[in-house]
Amino acid sequence: MLDNVQNKAANKTSVLSLVQVALMAAIVYVATAVIHVPSAFGQGVLHLGDSAVFIAAILLGKKKGATAAAIGMCLFDLLSGYGAWAPFTFVIKGAMGYIAAMIAYRGECEGKKFLNNFFAFLIAGIVMIIGYFFAGWILYDFPNAVGSIFNNVLQVALGMLIALPLSELLKKRIKL
């Protein structure tokens, strides 16, 4: 009897987790796809998806946030003509979400401390910039990789500017 109740609870939790990740992956994709501008510097695009990656990290935590970020951004690459970037994006954006959540949830912070979240987003953003630098170098060449750094810095800054106040508000209002 107890095993049956535990199995039902586990199934309910796994279905809820699946829905949370799928919904956040869709939000990441839409935030990336709706407003994106091809970069004037090197390869890639400037978009609002990083703000959704940061929000996913705060709302869903390490594993689910990383999964939503990786899937949502990878879908953008696959559906928007950037297929060569998709494997890199999957790893880089997944790592970005994981690192942001890992730092945001350290100690007693629980993703609720503004300065800690700022630090988390900054470190995760630096990892993303470095990751795309090497991806650009592999896919194209060194000058294009260097040229894309400014675009990625701008994208992280914009993502932080949007995600910091929004994630704080959503964290208070949404109980996941």
Side-chain angles (χ1 to χ4, degrees):
M1 177 74 170
L2 185 58
D3 286 339
N4 193 24
V5 171
Q6 288 174 335
N7 285 340
K8 284 183 180 180
N11 286 341
K12 184 177 181 180
T13 301
S14 63
V15 169
L16 178 61
S17 292
L18 181 64
V19 169
Q20 290 170 339
V21 169
L23 182 59
M24 200 65 223
I27 290 169
V28 169
Y29 170 76
V30 169
T32 308
V34 169
I35 300 175
H36 67 275
V37 179
S39 173
F41 311 97
Q43 302 298 321
V45 294
L46 182 62
H47 56 75
L48 299 178
D50 285 355
S51 60
V53 168
F54 293 141
I55 291 169
I58 296 299
L59 294 181
L60 300 179
K62 293 185 288 194
K63 292 179 184 175
K64 293 190 289 185
T67 303
I71 291 170
M73 287 287 195
C74 189
L75 275 174
F76 170 77
D77 283 352
L78 291 171
L79 298 174
S80 301
Y82 298 99
W85 290 91
F88 297 102
T89 293
F90 189 85
V91 172
I92 293 165
K93 295 299 182 170
M96 185 180 179
Y98 190 89
I99 290 166
M102 180 180 68
I103 296 170
Y105 278 83
R106 69 187 172 147
E108 302 290 321
C109 294
E110 297 296 317
K112 296 178 182 177
K113 306 278 189 210
F114 184 87
L115 285 178
N116 190 61
N117 289 351
F118 177 86
F119 179 69
F121 296 170
L122 182 66
I123 298 301
I126 290 169
V127 168
M128 186 273 289
I129 293 164
I130 292 169
Y132 276 115
F133 168 79
F134 284 108
W137 193 358
I138 291 167
L139 289 174
Y140 296 100
D141 56 27
F142 186 77
N144 272 314
V146 171
S148 69
I149 292 173
F150 177 75
N151 182 68
N152 287 327
V153 168
L154 187 60
Q155 186 169 289
V156 167
L158 181 61
M160 290 175 65
L161 187 66
I162 293 168
L164 280 165
L166 194 54
S167 63
E168 193 169 323
L169 177 70
L170 290 171
K171 187 73 174 169
K172 289 177 184 175
R173 304 276 188 240
I174 297 174
K175 304 294 181 214
L176 296 174

